Amino acid sequence: MLDYKLLHALATVVECDGFERAGDVLGLSQSAVSQRIKALEVRLGQPVLIRHPHLAPTPAGQRLLTHYQQVQLLERDLRGSLPTLDDQAPRLRIAINADSLVTWWAEAIATICQQEGVLLDLVIEDQDVGLKRLRDGDVAACLCATPQPIAGARCVALGEMRYHPLAAPAYIERYFPEGPSEESFQRAPAIVFGPHDQLQHRFLAQCDYHGHFPYHLCPSSEGFVRLAAAGIGYGMMPQLQVEELIASGQLASVAPGHFLTVPLYWHFWRHSGQIIQQLTKHLSKVLT
């Protein structure tokens, strides 16, 4: 049988990205945390953590983390029928893309958090790569653009988000006076969320441009919009986030009529307990 104190130590070390901070959370010394991880590895006969160059779970550690998260959620259901058990607030570790977080997510999750006492541990990840977090056992669920579920998990289509190529009017007058063109794309600085963000590339391909383009990197949805509104660049922005700025004339499209739709899928482990089932049922009504 697994010793769940050891699994709790493993999950805390990974979540805190270090033994010292994990010890602070667990109320243990760094040495005691290290001993628990070593005891787990001795019991398994193999390592559960890669220490260098960066702390990360091994494949065996990832499987244990996935199992531990599922057990935590199932225990939460058990506490509902056996109130004499210790009542701890359930914590959901979820990978979510930044654009969903700054637009529709808070309203969608508010009722369940308030009624069920759920604590969120949100991991900001691009919608195209968030599924890796679930596969690695780092999160209990994720929002991503991939419709194919991984083994042992389920996938529910939530809807889609629409993105427009926007910039400040003065910026458009400077770089796109005659609309999108090869020359304008080569000169105009774009804004890209991060190295995994492919929305700008997809937009340019939609305009039959496949060459080099200058760009700023800005891993913040709020900062992304502020940079564009200040005339620093143009980029793909979710319609839900910028409707008021478009209506007020602070932002406009560099290519009217062009937009991209990004599907959103909710992935979660099959045996995740009632709270995930309730959340899934609620989320499925949000974007559809």
Side-chain angles (χ1 to χ4, degrees):
M1 296 293 292
L2 292 170
D3 185 337
Y4 283 89
K5 288 184 178 179
L6 305 185
L7 292 187
H8 184 43
L10 172 62
T12 306
V13 168
V14 172
E15 184 175 330
C16 295
D17 194 29
F19 287 82
E20 184 175 354
R21 280 180 286 181
D24 293 338
V25 172
L26 295 171
L28 300 171
S29 67
Q30 180 178 343
S31 175
V33 176
S34 181
Q35 289 174 11
R36 290 192 179 187
I37 299 301
K38 184 176 181 181
L40 182 59
E41 292 178 328
V42 169
R43 176 166 295 188
L44 290 177
Q46 58 183 304
V48 296
L49 284 174
I50 299 170
R51 271 75 168 180
H52 302 287
H54 303 291
L55 190 68
T58 64
Q62 291 169 354
R63 293 182 64 184
L64 289 174
L65 288 172
T66 299
H67 172 76
Y68 182 64
Q69 289 191 50
Q70 292 175 304
V71 168
Q72 284 186 302
L73 291 170
L74 291 173
E75 282 187 352
R76 184 265 175 194
D77 295 343
L78 190 59
R79 292 188 189 102
S81 58
L82 297 174
T84 54
L85 289 176
D86 291 339
D87 189 16
Q88 297 179 347
R91 179 176 294 278
L92 290 180
R93 186 167 169 84
I94 297 171
I96 179 174
N97 63 305
D99 290 338
S100 289
L101 183 59
V102 300
T103 52
W104 60 270
W105 174 260
E107 288 74 16
I109 197 74
T111 300
I112 288 182
C113 286
Q114 294 164 3
Q115 293 180 350
E116 303 294 336
V118 174
L119 299 176
L120 298 178
D121 184 357
L122 299 177
V123 179
I124 304 302
E125 196 64 89
D126 188 84
Q127 62 258 23
D128 290 325
V129 296
L131 192 60
K132 183 180 184 298
R133 291 274 192 170
L134 185 67
R135 184 183 294 109
D136 290 347
D138 185 37
V139 297
C142 79
L143 275 171
C144 73
T146 305
Q148 185 63 41
I150 61 177
R154 290 188 58 199
C155 173
V156 174
L158 296 185
E160 61 186 24
M161 294 183 68
R162 179 171 291 191
Y163 288 77
H164 296 272
L166 303 175
Y171 179 94
I172 296 174
E173 181 63 28
R174 178 181 179 185
Y175 289 102
F176 297 92
E178 299 179 1
S181 66
E182 181 175 344
E183 180 182 359
S184 62
F185 289 139
Q186 290 174 345
R187 294 177 54 247
I191 307 172
V192 177
F193 186 83
H196 300 293
D197 181 9
Q198 293 296 306
L199 287 178
Q200 185 67 28
H201 299 77
R202 288 173 54 190
F203 162 67
L204 293 175
Q206 189 183 76
C207 295
D208 295 322
Y209 180 75
H210 303 276
H212 168 77
F213 62 96
Y215 60 89
H216 307 280
L217 283 175
C218 180
S220 163
S221 289
E222 298 91 339
F224 194 109
V225 174
R226 290 179 67 89
L227 288 178
I232 295 174
Y234 77 104
M236 304 301 295
M237 302 176 215
Q239 181 174 320
L240 288 173
Q241 185 181 4
V242 294
E243 288 177 334
E244 292 184 3
L245 293 177
I246 294 174
S248 67
Q250 296 180 65
L251 291 175
S253 177
V254 303
H258 286 265
F259 60 87
L260 295 174
T261 55
V262 175
L264 285 180
Y265 297 91
W266 174 246
H267 294 257
F268 58 97
W269 296 111
R270 291 181 181 274
H271 304 292
S272 295
Q274 294 180 9
I275 189 65
I276 286 288
Q277 299 296 332
Q278 294 175 22
L279 180 56
T280 300
K281 183 178 180 180
H282 189 67
L283 290 177
S284 64
K285 302 176 182 178
V286 174
L287 295 179
T288 54

